């Protein structure tokens, strides 16, 4: 019997963790860093390499299939609405949990001091990165979406929104010109689309090995933190919130609005979730999310090619929930008075915007957290408190970010009548 891909990935992950653990204890970290980790990096590079071509080609094919501009604006409107609703729900869940559980009260003076001292340098680096984002004007994010050179945007993985904007214009152009002229262009991209999908299959066949290398490297590189115990309640609060989103909120939406059984859905997107966990990057996971959602959930490419790249960049429920919990946690640990209701409501707005502004790469959510803290008057140096536990939480929140994108793609597809029987489930 052929083992499904997601099981192979799970085995790769567990084997990688065990291997890393053994090598760490044998004091052979160097071997893992020099000889195993590079294969993880190569795997992530391969995924990123195919992400931009995939977005360009599949979005052109998807949009040209729409055949009507009004359908595009309907699709866009629904997508933005679903993304906003899910992100605001995530922040609110984070806020409520952090207020009920009060993770900040579990951290004693000794751990607080030692965390602040040990991670002051790391926190300062993130704060500096966030400073750059803060100094620009209020409309800068809008300016940033419009490229002055499409080819420059293509060559920068961080300019995904610029690429999407230009490709949408090409799609609109193709819809507006005579079919006789657009057909050869669309046919070319359809062929290329199949080629890219094949390349993704080939890359994914190396996934078990790639995640093995990533997990082994993670195991040897993660430092030992004696103070981690103090952060346990905080970490569990974040994880509990993420579990609520994954196993209560999304399944409810899927069942009620899309009539899709959550177990079938989770089975279909498991490879993308596992990859999100291993890479901590929604952008690197995007090619696999696209394949899972299109071929295994049954979302028409017209919808997935538009909703998913946009979601990878702007929709981050896991990140926004984490930012809310982290902000309240730091406030509880560092401020004499609890935050008032008005400030907490402000956090809903700032964490939503900060998650939209976070890049889909590892630890980006933590950089943008600095802005949330600043707006709420919480000391930014408090970032040092949560540094030690950030990587594992990043892995978990990235899974939720990807699950949310896939859920919204399914809901939007259902609402526009584009949810098909999957090709293979
Ligand atoms: N790593 C996350 C992602 O790529 C972003 C973050 O929260 O740091 O989705």
């Amino acid at each position: 019997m052929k083992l499904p891909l997601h099981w192979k990935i799970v085995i790769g992950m567990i084997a990688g963790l065990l291997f890393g653990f053994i090598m760490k204890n044998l004091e052979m970290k160097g071997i893992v860093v020099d000889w195993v980790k590079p294969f993880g990096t190569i795997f992530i590079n391969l995924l990123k390499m195919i992400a931009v071509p995939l977005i360009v080609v599949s979005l052109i094919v998807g949009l040209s299939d729409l055949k009507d501009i009004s359908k595009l604006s309907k699709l866009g409107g629904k997508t933005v609405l679903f993304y906003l609703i899910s992100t605001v729900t995530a922040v609110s869940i984070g806020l409520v949990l952090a207020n009920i559980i009060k993770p900040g009260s579990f951290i004693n003076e000794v751990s607080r001091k030692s965390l602040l001292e040990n991670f002051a340098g790391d926190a300062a680096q993130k704060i500096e990165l966030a400073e750059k984002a803060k100094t620009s004007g209020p409309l800068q994010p809008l300016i940033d979406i419009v490229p002055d050179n499409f080819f420059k945007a293509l060559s920068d993985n961080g300019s995904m929104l610029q690429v999407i904007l230009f490709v949408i214009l090409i799609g609109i152009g193709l819809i507006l010109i005579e079919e006789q002229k657009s057909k050869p262009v669309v046919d070319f991209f359809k062929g290329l689309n199949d080629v890219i999908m094949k390349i993704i299959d080939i890359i994914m066949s190396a996934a078990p090995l790639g995640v093995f290398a990533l997990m082994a490297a993670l195991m040897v590189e993660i430092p030992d933190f004696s103070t981690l115990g103090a952060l346990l309640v905080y970490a569990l609060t974040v994880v509990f919130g993420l579990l609520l989103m994954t196993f209560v909120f999304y399944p409810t939406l899927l069942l009620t609005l899309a009539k899709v059984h959550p177990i079938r859905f989770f089975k279909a997107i498991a490879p993308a979730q596992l990859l999100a966990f291993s890479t901590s990057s929604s952008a690197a996971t995007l090619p696999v999310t696209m394949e899972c959602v299109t071929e295994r959930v049954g979302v028409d490419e017209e919808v997935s090619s538009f909703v998913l790249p946009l979601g990878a960049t702007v929709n981050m429920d896991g990140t926004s929930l984490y930012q809310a919990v982290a902000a309240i946690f730091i406030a509880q640990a560092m401020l004499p008075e609890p935050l008032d209701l008005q400030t907490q409501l402000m956090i809903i707005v700032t964490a939503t915007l900060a998650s939209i502004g976070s890049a889909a790469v590892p630890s980006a959510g933590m950089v943008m957290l600095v802005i949330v803290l600043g707006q709420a008057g919480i000391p930014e140096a408090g970032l040092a408190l949560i540094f030690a536990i950030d990587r594992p939480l990043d892995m978990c929140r990235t899974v939720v970010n990807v699950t949310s994108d896939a859920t919204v793609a399914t809901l939007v597809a259902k609402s526009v009548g584009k949810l098909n029987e999957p090709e293979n489930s």
Side-chain angles (χ1 to χ4, degrees):
M1 192 188 79
K2 219 171 138 251
L3 201 60
L5 181 64
H6 57 271
W7 284 117
K8 288 190 198 157
I9 299 179
V10 171
I11 294 172
M13 281 166 84
I14 297 173
L17 284 174
L18 280 176
F19 179 71
F21 182 75
I22 294 170
M23 294 301 270
K24 192 175 179 175
N25 283 303
L26 293 177
E27 308 275 329
M28 293 208 275
K29 281 185 196 178
I31 296 185
V32 177
V33 173
D34 289 344
W35 297 98
V36 178
K37 188 181 174 189
F39 291 99
T41 313
I42 291 173
F43 177 62
I44 295 193
N45 284 354
L46 284 170
L47 287 169
K48 286 189 185 160
M49 171 190 85
I50 205 70
V52 173
L54 171 70
I55 295 173
V56 173
V57 173
S58 65
L59 195 51
I60 290 179
V61 172
L63 291 177
S64 62
D65 277 347
L66 284 176
K67 298 201 171 64
D68 184 351
I69 305 284
S70 67
K71 280 195 196 156
L72 173 63
S73 56
K74 216 163 110 191
L75 198 66
K78 286 191 171 165
T79 306
V80 171
L81 185 75
F82 277 126
Y83 277 157
L84 261 181
I85 293 175
S86 71
T87 305
V88 172
T89 309
V91 190
S92 310
I93 289 182
L95 279 181
V96 170
L97 287 180
N99 278 293
I100 296 177
I101 302 175
K102 296 198 174 46
S105 61
F106 288 85
I107 186 161
N108 62 30
E109 194 48 36
V110 182
S111 333
R112 196 172 72 107
K113 268 212 178 112
S114 85
L115 283 169
L116 284 176
E117 271 165 25
N118 289 344
F119 295 98
D122 297 313
Q125 268 178 12
K126 301 276 173 202
I127 294 171
E128 200 182 312
L129 276 176
E131 266 329 305
K132 284 192 196 132
K134 259 198 281 184
T135 45
S136 40
L139 288 186
Q140 191 60 39
L142 203 62
I143 300 177
D144 287 343
I145 297 177
V146 187
D148 62 353
N149 182 333
F150 175 59
F151 292 95
K152 208 162 82 193
L154 274 184
S155 64
D156 174 8
N157 279 342
S159 305
M160 213 107 91
L161 286 181
Q162 297 192 345
V163 172
I164 293 173
L165 179 84
F166 185 77
V167 177
I168 288 179
L169 290 176
I170 297 188
I172 293 176
L174 282 172
I175 293 173
L176 292 178
I177 64 174
E178 287 167 38
E179 199 182 331
Q180 190 200 0
K181 289 195 177 135
S182 64
K183 195 173 177 311
V185 181
V186 175
D187 284 346
F188 166 76
F189 280 109
K190 279 192 171 152
L192 198 54
N193 198 26
D194 286 354
V195 173
I196 290 179
M197 285 304 201
K198 261 287 156 280
I199 297 178
I200 296 174
D201 280 345
I202 297 170
I203 297 175
M204 277 308 280
S205 60
L209 232 124
V211 297
F212 173 87
L214 289 169
M215 288 295 134
L218 183 81
M219 199 66 190
V220 298
E221 283 179 341
I222 218 161
D224 296 313
F225 298 110
S226 47
T227 36
L228 220 56
L231 294 176
L232 203 64
V233 180
Y234 154 70
L236 288 179
T237 311
V238 176
V239 171
F240 183 54
L242 296 177
L243 289 174
L244 279 183
M245 291 298 290
T246 312
F247 293 110
V248 180
F249 184 61
Y250 302 133
T252 310
L253 290 181
L254 286 165
L255 261 179
T256 52
L257 299 181
K259 309 274 176 280
V260 170
H261 200 287
I263 295 186
R264 175 168 94 66
F265 177 80
F266 284 127
K267 265 194 184 156
I269 66 159
Q273 289 179 313
L274 291 168
L275 222 57
F277 186 78
S278 320
T279 60
S280 282
S281 166
S282 331
T285 313
L286 180 62
V288 183
T289 320
M290 294 267 267
E291 194 170 76
C292 290
V293 168
T294 314
E295 289 176 10
R296 293 157 58 109
V297 179
V299 172
D300 201 292
E301 199 173 358
E302 263 172 60
V303 176
S304 62
S305 66
F306 175 75
V307 178
L308 291 174
L310 197 69
T313 341
V314 303
N315 180 52
M316 298 198 180
D317 294 359
T319 301
S320 64
L321 184 145
Y322 143 85
Q323 285 170 338
V325 177
I328 301 293
F329 169 71
I330 296 174
Q332 287 167 349
M334 305 214 22
L335 296 178
E337 295 286 320
L339 291 180
D340 57 26
L341 187 65
Q342 200 185 347
T343 315
Q344 298 221 19
L345 292 178
M346 249 331 265
I347 291 181
I348 297 189
V349 180
T350 48
T352 301
L353 293 176
S355 71
I356 292 174
S358 301
V361 296
S363 102
M366 193 181 208
V367 174
M368 296 306 276
L369 173 63
V370 176
I371 295 176
V372 180
L373 297 179
Q375 298 270 346
I378 304 166
E380 289 152 358
L383 211 61
L385 288 179
I386 57 167
F387 220 95
I389 195 93
D390 199 63
R391 181 63 207 239
L393 292 183
D394 193 3
M395 297 161 81
C396 300
R397 64 189 188 242
T398 308
V399 174
V400 174
N401 291 346
V402 166
T403 308
S404 163
D405 297 342
T407 304
V408 171
T410 311
L411 298 181
V412 173
K414 179 74 182 183
S415 74
V416 295
K418 290 286 175 188
L419 190 59
N420 315 317
E421 268 309 301
E423 288 168 33
N424 42 37
S425 48

